Amino acid sequence: SSVTAIEPSPLFQEILGDDAEIAAAVAAGVLRIKGGIALSMPYVATSSVDVIFAMNVVYFLTPLAEYLEEMLRVLKPGGLVIFGYKAGVVNGNKNHFVNTDTAQIVGAMTAAGFAGARQEADRLEDAGSNSYTPNTAPRALRAY
C-alpha cells in the first residue's frame, strides 16, 4: 500500500521533507507528497483510493461540490472520506473558513453521491483524571 499526501504550502512541504522518517518513507516509495490542491488529482487513478483523510481542511474547500466530486472519482467503491477538524477553529475569519456548518457539509456530501454521510460524535480526551472531558476535537464526516 501507499500514501499520497497533498500539501499546497511550500513551507509545510519543506518541513515534511526535513523529517527523517518521512524522507525514508518517500525514498521507499510508500509515501508521495504532492503540491497543489486536491481539486484535480490526475496522478490518482479513478476508483483507486481506499481512504481520504483530510484534517483541518474542509473549511477551505471551495467550491466544496467540486472537491467532493473529485474525491468521489478517486475513491474505490466502499471507500471512506473523513474530514477531521477542531470545532473551535471555524469561528475565525469567514473569508478564510468558508465551510463551517457541519449539517451543510454533510448535505453537500450526500448531494455529491456519498452514501452514509454523517457527523460523528465529538471525541473525548483524557483530562488526566478518572473522568473524560469533551475536547473541541476533530469531528469526522464519513461517507461510505
Side-chain angles (χ1 to χ4, degrees):
S1 61
S2 66
V3 173
T4 299
I6 301 168
E7 177 51 64
S9 165
L11 175 61
F12 285 137
Q13 288 175 32
E14 184 178 330
I15 291 169
L16 290 171
D18 289 342
D19 182 282
E21 189 174 356
I22 291 172
V26 169
V30 176
L31 173 64
R32 294 184 302 169
I33 300 174
K34 296 287 190 180
I37 59 173
L39 188 54
S40 175
M41 297 181 277
Y43 47 85
V44 180
T46 299
S47 301
S48 66
V49 174
D50 295 307
V51 178
I52 295 172
F53 178 72
M55 185 65 194
N56 291 326
V57 71
V58 71
Y59 8 79
F60 304 115
L61 301 181
T62 185
L64 180 58
E66 291 181 27
Y67 278 93
L68 293 173
E69 181 180 319
E70 182 66 353
M71 290 177 188
L72 195 59
R73 180 190 70 79
V74 302
L75 274 178
K76 290 179 179 177
L80 175 67
V81 171
I82 302 171
F83 289 122
Y85 62 90
K86 286 191 169 191
V89 171
V90 298
N91 295 326
N93 185 330
K94 297 297 182 185
N95 293 324
H96 300 289
F97 300 103
V98 294
N99 300 307
T100 60
D101 184 303
T102 302
Q104 287 180 352
I105 296 167
V106 170
M109 293 177 78
T110 301
F114 289 97
R118 67 182 185 275
Q119 177 180 343
E120 297 286 312
D122 289 349
R123 287 189 353 200
L124 298 177
E125 183 175 281
D126 185 349
S129 67
N130 292 331
S131 64
Y132 282 86
T133 55
N135 108 24
T136 54
R139 299 178 185 189
L141 303 173
R142 296 180 180 227
Y144 300 96

